[in-house]
């Protein structure tokens, strides 16, 4: 765990040093500042290194990376963004030696949220279609395609495998991939709060009472498992924190539902009130994020 935290700390220090090379306005830094540029560059290096193992067509490789950037920066995304992909890549690099077929994991990371419309129920299947198109362009081996598709599909099943309800931890690439995707649950309180707020922003079209009910129901399912995480490593350094974070959000959501039920709030009015409150406090808390 200490080595993992040291790794992330070193990466943060690296990006901070690069940021200090330039002086830009806050508005500039939010949209295209040096930290964002560095992270995109690192993602480009990962993607290019991976894709060029299967094809010599640099134009195709570049076009697909352009599509990745375009999709993950769409305006309806607040959590499922390039930052999410970047954080998963950091986990992948740290646990690289634990993976049997690392390339498969990287493809799954780049494509698991390639299509993301909060109003749609088939994002994963549409993401798989996009991956299959990319796989054809890159001429990926059939076994690679099969494994990556399986990883993406598991994100639709609540990130659940038999190992999640077993004392014995999982050690397959699938287990590490799912833990990378859920790692946000085990972060500190500030990061988790920002994550929860960004999820709400993505589902702002859902009335507040309905959102709280549905979100709490989903989170309760995580708490009902023997383990939120599949691998031994994530169970050791993230399981306890994840349970505290998820339980805290559940309690808050269920309290809101009870308040709306007791006071007979109109759902859209509650949503507008909370959106207004979030806009007032969101900027200061966002600035507290690494």
């Amino acid at each position: 765990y200490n080595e993992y935290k040291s790794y992330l700390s070193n990466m943060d220090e690296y990006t901070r040093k690069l940021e200090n090379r330039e002086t830009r306005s806050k508005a500039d830094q939010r949209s295209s500042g040096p930290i964002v540029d560095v992270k995109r560059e690192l993602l480009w290096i990962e993607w290019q290194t991976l894709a060029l193992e299967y094809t010599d067509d640099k134009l195709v490789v570049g076009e697909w990376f352009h599509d990745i950037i375009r999709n993950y920066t769409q305006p309806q995304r607040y959590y499922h963004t390039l930052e999410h992909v970047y954080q998963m890549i950091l986990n992948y690099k740290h646990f690289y030696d634990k993976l049997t077929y690392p390339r498969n994991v990287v493809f799954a990371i780049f494509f698991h949220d390639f299509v993301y419309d909060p109003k749609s129920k088939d994002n994963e299947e549409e993401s798989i279609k996009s991956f299959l198109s990319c796989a054809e362009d890159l001429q990926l081996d059939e076994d690679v395609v099969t494994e990556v598709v399986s990883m993406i599909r598991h994100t639709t099943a609540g990130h659940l495998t038999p190992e999640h309800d077993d004392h014995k931890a999982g050690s397959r690439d699938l287990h590490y991939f799912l833990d990378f995707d859920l790692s946000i649950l085990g972060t500190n309180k500030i990061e988790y709060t920002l994550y929860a707020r960004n999820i709400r922003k993505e589902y702002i079209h859902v009335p507040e009472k309905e959102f709280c009910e549905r979100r709490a129901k989903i989170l309760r399912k995580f708490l009902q498992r023997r383990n939120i995480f599949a691998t031994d490593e994530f169970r050791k350094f993230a399981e306890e924190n994840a349970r505290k974070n998820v339980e805290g959000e559940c309690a808050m959501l269920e309290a809101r539902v009870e308040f709306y039920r007791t006071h007979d709030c109109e759902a859209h009015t509650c949503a507008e009130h909370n959106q207004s409150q979030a806009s007032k406090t969101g900027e200061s808390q966002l600035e507290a994020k690494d």
Side-chain angles (χ1 to χ4, degrees), residues 24-25 44 66 79 97-98 109 120 221 231 233:
R24 297 188 181 185
S25 67
W44 165 240
H66 175 271
Y79 171 70
D97 291 339
K98 299 286 186 178
I109 289 173
S120 175
K221 289 181 179 179
T231 64
E233 292 86 351

Side-chain angles (χ1 to χ4, degrees), residues 164 179 182 185 222 225-230 239 242-243 246:
H164 282 86
D179 283 359
L182 291 181
L185 301 184
F222 282 104
R225 301 177 184 176
R226 183 184 295 274
N227 303 286
I228 291 177
F229 294 104
E239 183 79 21
R243 288 191 173 275
V246 174

Side-chain angles (χ1 to χ4, degrees), residues 74-234:
Q74 290 169 335
Q76 77 274 14
R77 297 174 183 252
Y78 290 89
Y79 171 70
H80 296 87
T81 62
L82 282 176
E83 178 65 22
H84 174 51
V85 176
Y86 175 75
Q87 293 300 326
M88 289 187 71
I89 289 293
L90 289 186
N91 277 307
Y92 150 78
K93 293 177 77 67
H94 183 71
F95 292 102
Y96 181 89
D97 291 339
K98 299 286 186 178
L99 304 174
T100 305
Y101 300 103
R103 299 171 187 171
N104 298 351
V105 176
V106 182
F107 275 123
I109 289 173
F110 276 113
F111 279 93
H112 76 291
D113 288 323
F114 186 83
V115 175
Y116 186 75
D117 177 2
K119 297 180 181 180
S120 175
K121 295 182 179 181
D122 61 354
N123 289 317
E124 287 77 11
E125 289 304 316
E126 290 301 315
S127 294
I128 287 172
K129 289 180 182 178
S130 296
F131 167 69
L132 292 176
S133 178
C134 177
E136 184 176 351
D137 287 348
L138 299 181
Q139 300 179 339
L140 300 187
D141 299 333
E142 185 175 345
D143 58 337
V144 173
V145 173
T146 301
E147 185 64 20
V148 174
V149 168
S150 174
M151 289 184 189
I152 297 175
R153 283 224 168 94
H154 269 83
T155 64
T156 68
H159 297 72
L160 186 63
T161 68
E163 288 75 10
H164 282 86
D165 287 319
D166 196 340
H167 283 295
K168 185 178 180 180
S171 59
R172 290 188 290 142
D173 291 349
L174 169 64
H175 298 129
Y176 282 99
F177 165 72
L178 294 176
D179 283 359
F180 297 166
D181 197 23
L182 291 181
S183 61
I184 186 66
L185 301 184
T187 55
N188 62 59
K189 189 173 182 179
I190 292 177
E191 289 183 299
Y192 185 88
T193 300
L194 290 169
Y195 150 73
R197 177 169 294 150
N198 284 333
I199 292 295
R200 181 63 184 112
K201 288 179 180 178
E202 291 181 342
Y203 286 88
I204 197 62
H205 58 282
V206 179
E208 179 75 357
K209 182 173 178 290
E210 180 184 350
F211 173 82
C212 291
E213 290 173 333
R214 289 166 57 183
R215 174 77 174 163
K217 184 178 180 180
I218 292 171
L219 293 178
R220 282 292 173 198
K221 289 181 179 179
F222 282 104
L223 294 173
Q224 290 165 4
R225 301 177 184 176
R226 183 184 295 274
N227 303 286
I228 291 177
F229 294 104
T231 64
D232 185 58
E233 292 86 351
F234 276 85

Side-chain angles (χ1 to χ4, degrees), residues 14-33:
Y14 171 65
T15 54
R16 277 195 292 269
K17 285 180 179 179
L18 287 175
E19 183 185 33
N20 290 335
R21 291 181 185 177
E22 300 182 41
T23 54
R24 297 188 181 185
S25 67
K26 287 186 177 180
D28 253 345
Q29 290 180 14
R30 288 194 189 102
S31 60
S32 60

